[in-house]
Amino acid sequence: MTSPDPKTTPAPNRQRRAKIVVWILLGLVVATAAIGYFVARGTTTDQQPQDTGQSSGQQTQEAGQLVRENSRVLSQAPNEKAVLVEFLDFECEGCAAAYPFVEELRVQYSDTVTFVNRYFPLPGHRNSVTAAVAVEAAAQQGAYEAMYQRMFETQTQWGESAEDQSDVFRGYAEDLGLDMAAYDAAVADPATLERVELDVADGTALGVSGTPTFYLDGEQLAPSTLEEFTAAIEAAVQD
């Protein structure tokens, strides 16, 4: 049997990386026409967030901060030279597609780049807020990274469901060995939802219009390829 010509047969990695590029670029599109275009096709990465219903008392006086003291740090670089912030939605397919690429960057730049996540659940996703609250509840027990990874690694199992996935997320917390009484209390505590809503308020004030949206050292990234994305980080960590 003749083996396929590697020059004409796309490699799985190449296909996966191409998909990641597409979703990252969708998340970075901000033009109104583009938003309508993708929403009409069933994607939700570029949907404009709507009023969260929170009062001014639930926010700090200054909205629009990129990073706050209580922002969730995915990984802290011991020799930090740059900070990459991602506004994300755990039910967003684009965020899930970008997730492996972000994990690769974390390995490659673990010493010099600090990775920070901000919650930005989109209103078109039935369980996006529920997922963010579940992750924040886990984070209160020091399990942010583990719950973050579990959400994206299982998104195809629960994403886009019309059913409430709270029990599924609680099962993830149990699997991680969390104190379930504390987890349940955190999920029920209005302050946990307010914490998520504060991230949304900051993102909205900054002009975030979809997910994933990345900021590198305070500047929004708008690369057209993964190579440009990586090159921007490489330039940021140079002395």
Side-chain angles (χ1 to χ4, degrees), residues 48-236:
Q48 181 68 34
Q50 301 178 8
D51 185 5
T52 60
Q54 66 183 48
S55 67
S56 59
Q58 293 172 328
Q59 304 177 30
T60 59
Q61 292 182 349
E62 182 183 359
Q65 291 187 31
L66 187 57
V67 179
R68 294 180 181 270
E69 290 184 358
N70 65 352
S71 294
R72 291 302 171 187
V73 177
L74 185 58
S75 54
Q76 176 71 52
N79 298 304
E80 180 184 296
K81 294 185 178 180
V83 177
L84 183 68
V85 179
E86 178 184 1
F87 283 85
L88 56 80
D89 174 350
F90 293 107
E91 197 170 357
C92 163
E93 290 178 300
C95 295
Y99 165 71
F101 175 62
V102 173
E103 291 295 282
E104 290 174 7
L105 291 177
R106 288 179 63 202
V107 172
Q108 185 175 355
Y109 295 99
S110 60
D111 187 58
T112 54
V113 178
T114 292
F115 290 77
V116 178
N117 288 347
R118 305 297 302 271
Y119 303 113
F120 204 75
L122 299 172
H125 289 144
R126 170 68 175 82
N127 285 284
S128 58
V129 172
T130 304
V133 168
V135 174
E136 177 59 24
Q140 293 175 21
Q141 296 189 47
Y144 176 81
E145 180 180 7
M147 196 67 153
Y148 154 90
Q149 292 174 331
R150 182 64 63 88
M151 286 294 183
F152 283 132
E153 289 168 1
T154 63
Q155 188 199 84
T156 56
Q157 300 171 24
W158 58 267
E160 302 301 329
S161 172
E163 304 288 330
D164 181 8
Q165 300 296 301
S166 297
D167 288 344
V168 172
F169 302 152
R170 191 177 189 278
Y172 296 163
E174 287 183 308
D175 291 343
L176 295 176
L178 300 186
D179 179 329
M180 295 312 298
Y183 173 85
D184 290 339
V187 168
D189 188 347
T192 305
L193 175 59
E194 290 171 11
R195 169 68 186 75
V196 172
E197 290 176 335
L198 177 58
D199 278 11
V200 175
D202 275 339
T204 302
L206 289 166
V208 174
S209 61
T211 55
T213 294
F214 294 92
Y215 286 83
L216 180 62
D217 287 342
E219 298 293 329
Q220 186 173 344
L221 286 176
S224 59
T225 66
L226 287 180
E227 287 70 23
E228 287 184 8
F229 195 115
T230 304
I233 294 179
E234 186 64 30

